[in-house]
C-alpha cells in the first residue's frame, strides 16, 4: 500500500513538472512570436509608408509641373497682366485646369487678395488652402485639402507678368484608384482618420470614423483611437495600439489584446470641413492576421504536446517504479524473513543507495539465516535424542502391554478350559453313572439334573464367549424397539428369585413410580445385561440380599443393583469391565464364571446408548448402576402404582402363552431333530403337522393334502426348498409357504421371495417367534382364558381401573353378607370377582376367587370363616397392589 | 362367476360329473366334456376353450399326450392336471410340459376355485 502511494506521488510530481515546464515554454514562445510579428509589421508599415509617400510625391511632382506650365503660359500671363475681368480669367483658368485634369484653381495677388477662383468657396477657406499650399515651414510635406470630405492635392506656383503678380493654386482630386492600387501594392490598409487634437489626452472624446464619399476607399474605421500620435509630423511616434472597444465593433479581442498596428503619413492636411478636427492618413495592419499563423502553430504543436505528455507519463512511471521496485522487493524480503523464510533471495540490480540498502539487507539476511540454521540443528539434535528415549519408552510399554495381554489371554484360556472342562466332566461322569443299572431312581433323577445344569452352564459359557467375540468384531447389533418394561422386569424377577432362593439369599425388586410403560430399547439385550448383573451379584453374595431398584430420572432410566456381597477393592474395580479379567484370578476358582459377563454388560449398555457405573466397598457390598437414555415424554403413558405394573406384567405373561390354533401344517426338513422339535412346537398349539424329508416329498404332500401353511427348509437333499416352492407355485399351489433357513443374508432372502415363498424364518427356531408366526397363518382354535382380546379394547385400562375401584364396595358387601350369614350372596360376589378379575388382568385374584368358590360349594356354610378372611385379605392386596 | 368355457377330460364319467357340478357351483355354466384324448383335442380345436381340466390316467392315449397336443395347438393354453396321484415325476413332467396347475384327487372345491382365480390373473 505504502509502496503504491509512494509510486503515485512520484508519478504525479513528475507529470506536473513536465506540464508546468511545457506551459512556461509555450507562453514564452507565444510572447516572442507576438514581438516578432509586431516588429515585422512595423517594418512593413515603414516600407509601405515610403512607397506611399514616393507615389504621392511623384503624383505631386507631376501635378506641380503641370501647374507650372499654367503659370508660365503666355496667354494666361498676358490676360492676368492685362487685368482682364475675373470672369474671363476664370474661364482661362478653367481651360487650363481641364487640360491638366485639375479640379479647381484660384489666384491670389501678392497682397493675398483673391483675384479669381473657379471654385465657389468663401475667401477665408481659399486663404487657408493658399496658406497650406505655400507654407514654407513644411516644404517636405505635401499639402492635402479635405473639402466636403474629399481629399485634394494642392499645388501653387508664382505667376510673373513679368513681375510677380501673385500665386495660382490648383486642386486635384485624390482618386480612389490611386489608393486601391497602393493598397494592393503594399498589402496594407490605408485609412484616413480624423482626430481631435484638442482631446488628444482625454479618453472621453471619441474620434469618429469618417467616410470618403467619393472614393468609397475609406471603409468604415470602427476603431477608436485612444492614443494617437502626439505629433502628426513625427511618423516614428505614430505607432499606436488601437483597442477594440468601439461601438458596433464585433470583432473579438485577441487574447494578447492587440488588434492593429498603424503608422501615419506625414501629410499637411487642410481640413475645410471643420476647424476643430485634423486628419491623418494611417497605414495599418492587423496583428491578429499576422498572429493567425498561430492557428497553424497550434495544430503543429499539439501532437508534440501530447507526445510530450505521454513520454512524461512513461518517464514518470519508469522513475517511480525505479524507486519503488527495489523498495518493494526489500519490503517483501523483509516480510519473508519476518515469517522465517531466511532463504528468500533478494535480487540486487540497482546501484546507488537503494542497491546498497538491498546489499546490506542481504548481508543481514544471510547472517540471520546462518544463526537460525544453527539453532535448528541444535533443536533437531535435541529432538533426536528425545525421540530415541521416547521410542525406547514406548517399546518398553508396548512390550509390557503385550506381555500383559498374553498373560490375560493365557489366563483366560486356562479359565476357559477350566470352565468348559468342569461341566463337561460332570456331564460325562454322570451320564456314565446312568449306565449303571444299580442306581436307584432318585439317584438317576439327581444325575440327570446335574447333567442338565452343567449343560446349561456350558451353554452360557459358550454364549458369553460368542458374545464377546461378536462384540470385539463389532458384529453385534441392537434392535431398539418400544419395549414394555414391566413384563421384562417380571421375567428378570422370576429368574432372580429362583437363583437367590437356590443360594438362600433374598432378592428384592423396588419400583420407584412413576415409571414409563414403554422404553425404547432392545429387550433381549436389556434382559441380558440385567441377568448378567444379577447373576454376578448373586454369585458374589453369600448372605443378605440383592436388590434391584428401577427409577426414572430426567432423561434416564436407572437400574440400580445393590448387593451385600464381598465387594471389591479400588484396584479390582479398575479391571472390572475388561474382558478375560476377573477382579482376582483366584475368584474364578472360587466362584466360577468366565469373567466375561461384566465386559459384555458394559459393551451392550453402551450399544444401547447407556453406561454402567460401579461403586463398591470391600467386604461390604457393591452397587452397579445401569443408566439408559429414556427422555421423559409427557404424552407417553406413565405407570404410577404397583398394582397397575403387576397387572401389566401378568397380561404380557398371558400373551406369552402358547397360542391355541387349528389347521394343518406341512413341514419339510431333512434333519430328524429339527423335524421333531418343530413338529412338537406345532402340535403344542393344537394344529396338525405332516412332515416331509425333502422337497419332492413336500411337493407330493402339498398337492395331495389340504394345508393352511407349508414350512420349507431351504437346504434339503434330492430337491431343495427353493425348487419345491417354485414347483408348487407353478402347479397352482396358493397356500403360504415359509422358507426356514439359517441363512438370513440378502441373497437368500431374495431367492426366497423369487421362488414364491411368502416369507422366511430364521433357524435356530425361537419358540416365541415361531408361535407368533403360526398364529399369523393359522386360525385361532378357541378363545382361551377370558377373552384375552379384551386387552386390545381402547378403553380396557379405564375398565380395569373401574374394576379396581369397585373392589372396596365388594368387600363391604361381602362383610355385610358374612354378618348375615348370607352364603348365596357371598357365592355370587365371589363368582363375579372370579370372572372380572381374570378379565382385567388380576389373574391371582381370579384364581383365589375360584378356589374360594370351590370351597364354598364343597363345604356349604360350614367353617368358612377362615377362607373368607383369607379371601378378603387377597382382595385387599389386589387393591393395594401388594404382592 | 365368469363367462368362460371349460373342457373336462376324464375317462370316468362320475369324475366328470363331480367336477362339472363343482364348476357350476362356481357359476361356470359353459362346460364341455370329453372322455378321451382324441375327443378332447377335436373339441379344443373347434371350440374356444379357456380352461382344460385334464386327467392324466386315461386308456390308450394318456393325459400327457393330450397336454402336449393342446399346447401345440395353443402355446398359451391353460391346462390344469387333475390326477389321482401326485408322484413328483408326474408333477415335474406336467409342469415342464406347460400345465398351469396340478390338482390331486380327491380334491376340495377350494382347489378348483384357486385354479379359476389363477386363470383370471
Amino acid at each position: 500500500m505504502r509502496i503504491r502511494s509512494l509510486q503515485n506521488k512520484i508519478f504525479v510530481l513528475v507529470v506536473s513538472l513536465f506540464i508546468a515546464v511545457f506551459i512556461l515554454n509555450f507562453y514564452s514562445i507565444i510572447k516572442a512570436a507576438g514581438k516578432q510579428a509586431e516588429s515585422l509589421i512595423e517594418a512593413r508599415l515603414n516600407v509601405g509608408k515610403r512607397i506611399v509617400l514616393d507615389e504621392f510625391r511623384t503624383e505631386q511632382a507631376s501635378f506641380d509641373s503641370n501647374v507650372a506650365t499654367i503659370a508660365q503660359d503666355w496667354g494666361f500671363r498676358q490676360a492676368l497682366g492685362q487685368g482682364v475681368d475675373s470672369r474671363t480669367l476664370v474661364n482661362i483658368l478653367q481651360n487650363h485646369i481641364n487640360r491638366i485634369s485639375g479640379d479647381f484653381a484660384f489666384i491670389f495677388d501678392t497682397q493675398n487678395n483673391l483675384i479669381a477662383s473657379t471654385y465657389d468657396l468663401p475667401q477665408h477657406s481659399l486663404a487657408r488652402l493658399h496658406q497650406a499650399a505655400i507654407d514654407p515651414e513644411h516644404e517636405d510635406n505635401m499639402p492635402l485639402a479635405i473639402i466636403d470630405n474629399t481629399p485634394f492635392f494642392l499645388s501653387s506656383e508664382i505667376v510673373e507678368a513679368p513681375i510677380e503678380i501673385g500665386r495660382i493654386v490648383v486642386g486635384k482630386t485624390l482618386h480612389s484608384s490611386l489608393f486601391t492600387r497602393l493598397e494592393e501594392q503594399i498589402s496594407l490598409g490605408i485609412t484616413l482618420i480624423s482626430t481631435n487634437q484638442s482631446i488628444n489626452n482625454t479618453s472621453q472624446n471619441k474620434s469618429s470614423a469618417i467616410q470618403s464619399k467619393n472614393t468609397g476607399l475609406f471603409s468604415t474605421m470602427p476603431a477608436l483611437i485612444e492614443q494617437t500620435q502626439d505629433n502628426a509630423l513625427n511618423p516614428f511616434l505614430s505607432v499606436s495600439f488601437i483597442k477594440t472597444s468601439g461601438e458596433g465593433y464585433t470583432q473579438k479581442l485577441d487574447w494578447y489584446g492587440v488588434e492593429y498596428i498603424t503608422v501615419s503619413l506625414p501629410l499637411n492636411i487642410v481640413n475645410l470641413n471643420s476647424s476643430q478636427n485634423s486628419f491623418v492618413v494611417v497605414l495599418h495592419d492587423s496583428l491578429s492576421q499576422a498572429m493567425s499563423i498561430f492557428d497553424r502553430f497550434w495544430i503543429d504543436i499539439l501532437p508534440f504536446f501530447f507526445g510530450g505528455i505521454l513520454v512524461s507519463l512513461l518517464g514518470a512511471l519508469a522513475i517511480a517504479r525505479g524507486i519503488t521496485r527495489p523498495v518493494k522487493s526489500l519490503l517483501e524480503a523483509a516480510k519473508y524473513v519476518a515469517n522465517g523464510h531466511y532463504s528468500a533471495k533478494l535480487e540486487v540490480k540497482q546501484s546507488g543507495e537503494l542497491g546498497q540498502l538491498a546489499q546490506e539487507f542481504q548481508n543481514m539476511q544471510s547472517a540471520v539465516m546462518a544463526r537460525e540454521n544453527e539453532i535448528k540443528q541444535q533443536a533437531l539434535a535435541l529432538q533426536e535424542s528425545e525421540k530415541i528415549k521416547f521410542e525406547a519408552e514406548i517399546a518398553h510399554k508396548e512390550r509390557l502391554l503385550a506381555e500383559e495381554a498374553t498373560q490375560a489371554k493365557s489366563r483366560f484360556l486356562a479359565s476357559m478350559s477350566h470352565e468348559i472342562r468342569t461341566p463337561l466332566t460332570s456331564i460325562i461322569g454322570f451320564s456314565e453313572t446312568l449306565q449303571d443299572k444299580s442306581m436307584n431312581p432318585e439317584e438317576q433323577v439327581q444325575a440327570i439334573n446335574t447333567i442338565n445344569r452343567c449343560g446349561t452352564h456350558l451353554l452360557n459359557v459358550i454364549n458369553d464367549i460368542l458374545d464377546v467375540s461378536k462384540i470385539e468384531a463389532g458384529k453385534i447389533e441392537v434392535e431398539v424397539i418400544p419395549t414394555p418394561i414391566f413384563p421384562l422386569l417380571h421375567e428378570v424377577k422370576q429368574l432372580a428369585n429362583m437363583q437367590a432362593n437356590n443360594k438362600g439369599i433374598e432378592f428384592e425388586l423396588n419400583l420407584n413410580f412413576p415409571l414409563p410403560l414403554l422404553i425404547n430399547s432392545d429387550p433381549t439385550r436389556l434382559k441380558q445385561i440385567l441377568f448378567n448383573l444379577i447373576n454376578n451379584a448373586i454369585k458374589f453374595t453369600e448372605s443378605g440380599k440383592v436388590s434391584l431398584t428401577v427409577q426414572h430420572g430426567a432423561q434416564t432410566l436407572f437400574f440400580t443393583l445393590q448387593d451385600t456381597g464381598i465387594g471389591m477393592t479400588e484396584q479390582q474395580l479398575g479391571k472390572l469391565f475388561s474382558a478375560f479379567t476377573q477382579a482376582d484370578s483366584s475368584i474364578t476358582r472360587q466362584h466360577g464364571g468366565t469373567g466375561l459377563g461384566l465386559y459384555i454388560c458394559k459393551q451392550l449398555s453402551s450399544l444401547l446408548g447407556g453406561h454402567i457405573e460401579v461403586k463398591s466397598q470391600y467386604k461390604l457390598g457393591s452397587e452397579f448402576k445401569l443408566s439408559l437414555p429414556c427422555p421423559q415424554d409427557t404424552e407417553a403413558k406413565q405407570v404410577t402404582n404397583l398394582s397397575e405394573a403387576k397387572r401389566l406384567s401378568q397380561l404380557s405373561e398371558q400373551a406369552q402363552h402358547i397360542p391355541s390354533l387349528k389347521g394343518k401344517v406341512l413341514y419339510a426338513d431333512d434333519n430328524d431333530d429339527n423335524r421333531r422339535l418343530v413338529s412338537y412346537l406345532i402340535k403344542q398349539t393344537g394344529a396338525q403337522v405332516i412332515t416331509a424329508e425333502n422337497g419332492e416329498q413336500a411337493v407330493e404332500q402339498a398337492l395331495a393334502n389340504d394345508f393352511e401353511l407349508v414350512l420349507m427348509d431351504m437346504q434339503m437333499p434330492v430337491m431343495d426348498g427353493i425348487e419345491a416352492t417354485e414347483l408348487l407355485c407353478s402347479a397352482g399351489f396358493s397356500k403360504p409357504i415359509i422358507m426356514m433357513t439359517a441363512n438370513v443374508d440378502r441373497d437368500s432372502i431374495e431367492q426366497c421371495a423369487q421362488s414364491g415363498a411368502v416369507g422366511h424364518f430364521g433357524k435356530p427356531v425361537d419358540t416365541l417367534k415361531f408361535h407368533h408366526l403360526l398364529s399369523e397363518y393359522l386360525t385361532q382354535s378357541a378363545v382361551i382364558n377370558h377373552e384375552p382380546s379384551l386387552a386390545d379394547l381402547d378403553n380396557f385400562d379405564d375398565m380395569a381401573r373401574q374394576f379396581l375401584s369397585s373392589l372396596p364396595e365388594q368387600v363391604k358387601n361381602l362383610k355385610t353378607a358374612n354378618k348375615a350369614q348370607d352364603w348365596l350372596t357371598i357365592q355370587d360376589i365371589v363368582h363375579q370377582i372370579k370372572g372380572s378379575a381374570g378379565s382385567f388382568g388380576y389373574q391371582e385374584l381370579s384364581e383365589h376367587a375360584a378356589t374360594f368358590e370351590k370351597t364354598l360349594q364343597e363345604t356349604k356354610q360350614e367353617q368358612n370363616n377362615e377362607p373368607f378372611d383369607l379371601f378378603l385379605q387377597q382382595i385387599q392386596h389386589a387393591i393395594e397392589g401388594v404382592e | 362367476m365368469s363367462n368362460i368355457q371349460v373342457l373336462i377330460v376324464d375317462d370316468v364319467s362320475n369324475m366328470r360329473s363331480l367336477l362339472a357340478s363343482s364348476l357350476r357351483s362356481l357359476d361356470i355354466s359353459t362346460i364341455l366334456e370329453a372322455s378321451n384324448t382324441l375327443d378332447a383335442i377335436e373339441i379344443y380345436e373347434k371350440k374356444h376353450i379357456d380352461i382344460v381340466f385334464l386327467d392324466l390316467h386315461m386308456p390308450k392315449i394318456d393325459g400327457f399326450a393330450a397336454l402336449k397336443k393342446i399346447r401345440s395347438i395353443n402355446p398359451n393354453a391353460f391346462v390344469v392336471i387333475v390326477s389321482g396321484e401326485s408322484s413328483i415325476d408326474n408333477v415335474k413332467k406336467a409342469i415342464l410340459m406347460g400345465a398351469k396347475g396340478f390338482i390331486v384327487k380327491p380334491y376340495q372345491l377350494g382347489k378348483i376355485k384357486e385354479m379359476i382365480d389363477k386363470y383370471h390373473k
Side-chain angles (χ1 to χ4, degrees), chain A residues 696 700 706 719 730-731 734, chain B residues 86 88 92 102 108 114 118:
Chain A
E696 287 190 350
E700 288 174 1
D706 229 23
M719 182 188 277
S730 303
S734 59
Chain B
S86 63
I88 190 72
K92 272 186 181 173
F102 200 103
Q108 294 199 319
E114 279 165 17
K118 190 177 177 186

Side-chain angles (χ1 to χ4, degrees), chain A residues 829-840:
Chain A
I829 294 170
V830 171
H831 185 77
Q832 250 180 25
I833 289 172
K834 183 186 79 174
S836 39
S839 302
F840 294 117

Side-chain angles (χ1 to χ4, degrees), chain B residues 16-79:
Chain B
R16 291 201 303 272
S17 311
L18 177 66
L19 185 50
S21 61
S22 301
L23 289 168
R24 271 192 288 276
S25 79
L26 294 170
D27 282 353
I28 293 167
S29 48
T30 320
I31 299 164
L32 301 168
E33 295 181 15
S35 61
N36 61 65
T37 304
L38 293 177
D39 287 353
I41 289 162
E42 200 182 330
I43 291 171
Y44 193 85
E45 278 181 323
K46 283 180 182 167
K47 308 270 184 176
H48 174 261
I49 302 293
D50 294 301
I51 304 177
V52 181
F53 284 97
L54 178 63
D55 185 19
L56 278 185
H57 185 77
M58 285 186 290
K60 291 183 189 167
I61 308 172
D62 68 2
F64 287 118
L67 174 61
K68 196 173 177 183
K69 184 68 189 167
I70 289 170
R71 294 279 294 178
S72 72
I73 295 165
N74 175 11
N76 294 319
F78 196 94
V79 180

Side-chain angles (χ1 to χ4, degrees), chain A residues 652-687:
Chain A
S652 75
E653 214 173 32
Q654 280 174 24
Q656 279 176 15
H657 281 170
I658 298 156
S660 195
L661 305 167
K662 63 179 178 188
K664 218 176 196 177
V665 180
L666 173 65
Y667 178 60
D669 198 326
D670 55 325
N671 183 295
D672 287 346
D673 297 333
N674 282 346
R675 275 208 308 280
R676 272 206 298 279
L677 175 67
V678 171
S679 296
Y680 170 72
L681 291 175
I682 295 170
K683 280 184 202 154
Q684 261 191 327
T685 66

Side-chain angles (χ1 to χ4, degrees), chain A residues 429-629:
Chain A
F430 278 100
S431 56
E432 273 171 358
T433 61
L434 280 175
Q435 287 167 345
D436 184 0
K437 299 276 192 300
S438 65
M439 267 182 113
N440 62 34
E442 207 177 308
E443 284 172 332
Q444 281 180 354
V445 169
Q446 218 171 9
I448 289 167
N449 281 344
T450 311
I451 291 170
N452 185 280
R453 201 177 61 243
C454 291
T456 314
H457 178 69
L458 193 56
L459 182 65
N460 285 339
V461 170
I462 289 164
N463 279 343
D464 275 359
I465 295 168
L466 284 177
D467 273 346
V468 167
S469 70
K470 267 192 203 165
I471 286 168
E472 300 213 319
K475 276 194 178 155
I476 206 155
E477 277 171 14
V478 293
E479 188 188 16
V480 174
I481 50 167
T483 308
I485 59 165
F486 294 107
L488 188 144
L489 287 172
H490 185 71
E491 209 178 316
V492 169
K493 187 189 156 191
Q494 280 184 332
L495 194 108
N497 268 336
M498 205 176 76
Q499 287 188 332
N501 284 340
N502 287 347
K503 208 164 177 194
I505 58 172
E506 207 183 318
F507 177 79
E508 197 177 73
L509 174 64
N510 303 315
L511 303 175
N512 285 0
F513 292 103
L515 289 169
L517 180 64
L518 298 170
I519 61 165
N520 273 322
S521 197
D522 184 326
T524 318
R525 298 303 174 192
L526 178 55
K527 233 187 293 181
Q528 193 179 355
I529 296 170
L530 291 174
F531 279 156
N532 259 327
L533 290 178
I534 290 169
N535 248 329
N536 200 54
I538 291 175
K539 192 189 287 175
F540 294 109
T541 304
E542 296 304 327
S543 62
K545 69 173 181 183
V546 172
S547 67
L548 176 64
T549 309
V550 186
Q551 191 178 1
H552 196 194
Q555 297 289 319
T556 321
L557 195 64
F558 297 106
F559 298 84
T560 314
L561 191 72
Q562 285 171 307
D563 65 51
T564 56
I566 57 171
M568 284 168 281
T569 60
E570 287 281 323
Q571 202 188 355
Q572 289 171 331
L573 275 177
K575 291 197 280 181
L576 193 59
F577 289 109
S578 336
F580 311 130
T581 325
Q582 273 183 333
D584 186 335
S585 44
S586 68
I587 288 170
T588 313
R589 289 189 288 280
Q590 197 184 334
H591 299 279
T594 54
L596 297 175
L598 287 177
Y599 174 72
I600 294 169
C601 283
K602 188 177 165 66
Q603 300 300 324
L604 288 180
S605 62
S606 66
L607 279 173
L608 291 177
H611 61 272
I612 297 178
E613 288 165 59
V614 59
K615 282 190 268 186
S616 186
Q617 273 187 300
Y618 189 55
K619 290 193 171 161
L620 288 176
S622 312
E623 180 188 298
F624 288 83
K625 192 171 191 177
L626 168 67
S627 315
L628 291 182

